[in-house]
Amino acid sequence: MTFTKLGALTLTTAIVATSAFAQDVDRTGWPESFTVGTASQGGTYFAYGSGWANLVAEELGISGGGEVTGGPMQNMALVHTGEAQFGMTTMGPAAESLQGTNPIAPGLQMTNACAMFPMYQTPFAITTLASTGITSISDIPDGARIGFGPAGSTSDTYFPRMMEELGVEFERRNGGWNDLGSQLQDGLLDVIAFAAGVPTPAVSQLEVQTDINFIAFTQEEKDQILEAFPVSSFIIPSSTYETMEEDALSVSMWNFAIANCELPDSFVYSVVDIIMSDNERMMNIHRAARSTLPENWDRNGVLMWHPGAAQWFTENAGADIPADMIHGG
């Protein structure tokens, strides 16, 4: 099956550099260029993914960049088919894609997308204008117009189900995060339900432009969601945003960078080495990278590992990855 790219929605931030990095590495079979499937502009995936794509391109001296996509579900499809060499996904959409329940291609088991490195946790968070008077999930009125992000994204896949679990009745809206933020300001939406790394660029922009409320889960609501969905407990620190006054209870899913399983081992090993060897440099790309650490390799219990990535974590992070969790092993 072939998946076409996103046409007018495609935006590639590419860079070609002449770094001497890894010049002594066997580059047999390496692609002349690469793309990283991200998500919509205004979301963390785009900022984070474009950043590490440009970093890798610069260090390896080849052309590469981040591409706007529909998010984790589409990234699994693009990487599986080889239309994108790399991408980013959350564990929930990854599991559904392996099972053949990815809505982009129902029935297709996307087993040619391999784990490459841990990124960060994606918390689920809710934002609205302060002028709405909504300060809790129970305040959200029946029929509220809620923006859930791009169709097929982690947010769009899981947040509507979570809202239904908590008894919220709503009108479902989709779109890029920047577009949804504009709709919220224009009164076309009542609430935005984000699933994105924090700080989320669209939220940071909103709080500069207008007064907003950060809607947290209550302990009871969080416990209910933890029971019903494949998520973990998470706290969004008050320091995340300038106008956030207190920590917020939330839930989250882990994100992993993925690679087409057929890419040369030496290529993927070199990419992982660049990303995982200098966390300060990754933090300069996006603060969510504070969790992009070698010791978090064990957060993947879903995807097969790319052999090149598995080799890096085994050699440099003391990872004990079972052979049956390594592609081709």
Side-chain angles (χ1 to χ4, degrees):
M1 177 172 286
T2 299
F3 293 87
T4 58
K5 295 183 180 178
L6 293 184
L9 288 178
T10 298
L11 173 66
T12 301
T13 55
I15 184 168
V16 181
T18 56
S19 170
F21 180 87
Q23 294 299 320
D24 57 341
V25 173
D26 179 8
R27 296 193 172 205
T28 303
W30 283 30
E32 294 182 359
S33 63
F34 68 88
T35 58
V36 176
T38 63
S40 70
Q41 296 181 67
T44 305
Y45 261 33
F46 182 74
Y48 181 105
S50 297
W52 75 256
N54 290 344
L55 174 62
V56 167
E58 181 179 1
E59 291 294 325
L60 294 182
I62 61 178
S63 176
E67 180 178 294
V68 170
T69 71
M73 287 291 192
Q74 187 175 31
N75 291 341
M76 284 292 295
L78 292 172
V79 172
H80 170 78
T81 61
E83 289 194 34
Q85 288 71 37
F86 304 120
M88 304 185 298
T89 191
T90 39
M91 291 293 98
E96 293 193 27
S97 298
L98 294 178
Q99 294 163 5
T101 57
N102 186 319
I104 291 175
L108 177 64
Q109 294 179 302
M110 300 179 185
T111 56
N112 209 35
C114 282
M116 187 163 61
F117 63 82
M119 293 166 40
Y120 54 82
Q121 295 181 76
T122 287
F124 290 75
I126 302 169
T127 301
T128 187
L129 299 183
S131 58
T132 65
I134 298 172
T135 60
S136 66
I137 292 176
S138 61
D139 285 343
I140 299 175
D142 289 346
R145 300 160 297 177
I146 302 180
F148 290 105
S153 64
T154 301
S155 182
D156 182 54
T157 302
Y158 289 95
F159 230 147
R161 302 180 198 171
M162 292 180 180
M163 290 297 200
E164 290 169 354
E165 173 70 22
L166 297 176
V168 179
E169 297 181 9
F170 54 86
E171 291 183 17
R172 185 173 184 163
R173 304 291 176 83
N174 293 111
W177 293 122
N178 282 344
D179 180 48
L180 293 179
S182 296
Q183 290 185 46
L184 186 70
Q185 286 185 274
D186 292 342
L188 301 177
L189 290 176
D190 301 298
V191 171
I192 302 181
F194 291 91
V198 293
T200 306
V203 178
S204 297
Q205 182 177 344
L206 270 174
E207 70 171 347
V208 170
Q209 297 172 338
T210 188
D211 293 330
I212 61 176
N213 287 341
F214 301 94
I215 311 301
F217 290 93
T218 64
Q219 185 63 54
E220 181 180 9
E221 290 166 344
K222 188 175 85 166
D223 290 344
Q224 187 174 347
I225 295 301
L226 289 171
E227 179 70 22
F229 298 94
V231 292
S232 302
S233 181
F234 191 87
I235 294 178
I236 302 174
S238 60
S239 59
T240 302
Y241 299 105
E242 294 293 331
T243 59
M244 195 171 182
E245 297 180 351
E246 58 185 12
D247 295 350
L249 292 180
S250 181
V251 295
S252 69
M253 281 185 181
W254 265 92
N255 298 271
F256 260 70
I258 52 176
N260 180 274
C261 297
E262 306 305 320
L263 287 172
D265 293 0
S266 62
F267 180 44
V268 174
Y269 184 102
S270 297
V271 171
V272 174
D273 190 54
I274 291 167
I275 302 301
M276 302 307 297
S277 295
D278 191 341
N279 186 250
E280 182 177 350
R281 190 164 54 177
M282 286 298 296
M283 285 282 288
N284 288 334
I285 291 172
H286 197 284
R287 279 191 287 160
R290 60 185 173 274
S291 298
T292 307
L293 300 171
E295 57 263 34
N296 287 327
W297 68 270
D298 61 356
R299 304 300 183 173
N300 167 42
V302 174
L303 292 162
M304 297 289 283
W305 283 91
H306 189 286
Q311 180 185 352
W312 190 93
F313 284 100
T314 299
E315 293 178 355
N316 298 281
D320 182 17
I321 302 174
D324 63 2
M325 284 296 292
I326 301 174
H327 182 77

